[in-house]
């Protein structure tokens, strides 16, 4: 896969479709890799006239790994809850990850692009909309939240599963990840799809240290609600009512913060882009891109 040097680091990316079509950048979530985007979803966007770009965020997949000791994310969270500014003490915030994404758009020769982010990726595209609106044609924030801790709260079971230390050995890690996905994905979860995807991501890159860096970046960035009120880019929010790690109140709050945002709530969707919802989500992205 090609590597782009942007924002002072190397970012691994992949493209699909016609480069002369409308560019759309897909931004993945917490610790996830570009191959976590379902191929069916990528193809659905290509079929709707998009040139699809997806990349590994820093500290995941085959992109840059931060050459430092992982931060104590729990301590960072505790300090932010006391109202302390922790940005000087973390390696980076979501703003840097937003700059990475903008840099990749520029590297590929586009002045602007549509952007779609899922979970933490939704947070990143929100920051892009606040800090780099001239680079965006439209924004889609999927299964994400504003950073306001009063909304989008996880269940205890989901949070425990997400933040559990990794198991020991390939088969144990894959089994643990499949079980975590079952808890997060909701009623549309498919075990066979999950097992295939979890094995592929483990074999491509297993880097558990990246979780602490990305978690600290989320905590240090804080609440984006006020910044989102200034966003004028066409904006779509997609959320599942069965999401156990970022409850659908996070999606509602995001849509309420952005004037004129479209909101799509899917009754059975959890924290996963199931094949059963992909056509509807792809159609909604196409609609907001051409609003």
């Amino acid at each position: 896969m090609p590597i782009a040097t942007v924002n002072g680091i190397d970012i691994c990316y992949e493209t699909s479709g016609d480069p002369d079509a409308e560019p759309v950048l897909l931004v993945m979530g917490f610790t996830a890799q570009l191959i976590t985007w379902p191929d069916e979803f990528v193809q659905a966007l290509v079929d709707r006239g998009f040139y699809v770009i997806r990349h590994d965020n820093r500290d995941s997949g085959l992109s840059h790994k931060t050459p430092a000791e992982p931060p104590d994310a729990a301590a960072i969270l505790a300090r932010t809850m006391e109202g302390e500014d922790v940005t000087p003490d973390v390696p980076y915030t979501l703003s840097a990850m937003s700059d990475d994404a903008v840099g990749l758009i520029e590297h590929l020769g586009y002045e602007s692009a549509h952007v779609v982010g899922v979970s933490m990726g939704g947070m990143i595209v929100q920051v892009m909309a606040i800090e780099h609106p001239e680079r965006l044609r439209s924004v889609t924030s999927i299964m994400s939240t504003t950073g306001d801790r009063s909304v989008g709260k996880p269940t205890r079971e989901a949070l425990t599963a997400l933040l559990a230390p990794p198991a020991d050995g390939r088969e144990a890690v894959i089994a643990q990840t499949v079980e975590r996905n079952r808890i997060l994905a909701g009623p549309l979860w498919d075990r066979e799809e999950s097992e295939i995807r979890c094995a592929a991501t483990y074999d491509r890159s297993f880097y558990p240290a990246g979780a602490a860096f990305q978690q600290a970046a989320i905590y240090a960035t804080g609440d984006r609600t006020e910044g989102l009120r200034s966003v004028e880019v066409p904006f779509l929010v997609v959320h599942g009512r069965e999401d156990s790690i970022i409850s659908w109140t996070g999606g509602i709050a995001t849509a309420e913060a952005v004037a004129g945002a479209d909101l799509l709530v899917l009754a059975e969707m959890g924290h996963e882009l199931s094949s059963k919802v992909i056509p509807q989500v792809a159609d909604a992205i196409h609609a907001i891109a051409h609003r």
Side-chain angles (χ1 to χ4, degrees), residues 170-192:
R170 179 182 184 275
E171 298 307 318
V173 169
I174 292 172
Q176 178 188 44
T177 310
V178 168
E179 175 62 14
R180 180 193 68 193
N181 289 354
R182 181 191 66 79
I183 294 169
L184 302 188
L188 299 181
W189 180 71
D190 183 286
R191 175 174 291 277
E192 183 178 358

Side-chain angles (χ1 to χ4, degrees), residues 38-50:
D39 290 340
E40 183 180 351
F41 180 64
V42 174
Q43 188 59 50
L45 293 178
V46 170
D47 291 343
R48 286 160 178 77
F50 291 104

Side-chain angles (χ1 to χ4, degrees), residues 3 15 17 72 75 99 112 135 139 187 212 236 243 285:
I3 298 290
T15 60
D72 184 339
D99 292 344
S112 63
R135 296 298 188 186
V139 178
L236 169 67
D243 195 325
I285 292 169

Side-chain angles (χ1 to χ4, degrees), residues 222-237:
D223 188 354
R224 294 171 294 283
T225 304
E226 287 307 311
L228 288 169
R229 298 196 197 283
S230 68
V231 172
E232 298 180 349
V233 180
F235 204 103
L236 169 67
V237 176

Side-chain angles (χ1 to χ4, degrees), residues 17-50:
D18 180 359
D20 292 327
E22 289 276 312
V24 58
L25 177 69
L26 307 184
V27 186
M28 228 327 137
F30 179 62
T31 71
Q33 303 178 46
L34 67 83
I35 63 170
T36 306
W37 290 103
D39 290 340
E40 183 180 351
F41 180 64
V42 174
Q43 188 59 50
L45 293 178
V46 170
D47 291 343
R48 286 160 178 77
F50 291 104

Side-chain angles (χ1 to χ4, degrees), residues 107-167:
H107 172 84
L108 293 172
Y110 298 103
E111 292 187 3
S112 63
H114 305 283
V115 294
V116 176
V118 63
S119 194
M120 182 188 73
M123 303 174 194
I124 294 170
V125 300
Q126 291 171 27
V127 174
M128 294 172 75
I130 296 166
E131 299 182 357
H132 304 282
E134 73 285 353
R135 296 298 188 186
L136 307 185
R137 305 184 190 187
S138 71
V139 178
T140 300
S141 176
I142 303 175
M143 60 185 85
S144 194
T145 187
T146 62
D148 177 353
R149 294 197 182 95
S150 69
V151 298
K153 293 181 179 180
T155 66
R156 183 177 296 276
E157 180 187 27
L159 187 62
T160 299
L162 183 68
L163 300 181

Side-chain angles (χ1 to χ4, degrees), residues 83-105:
E84 187 177 344
D85 179 11
V86 298
T87 52
D89 302 320
V90 297
Y92 55 86
T93 67
L94 296 182
S95 288
M97 302 179 84
S98 163
D99 292 344
D100 297 343
V102 170
L104 180 56
I105 292 170

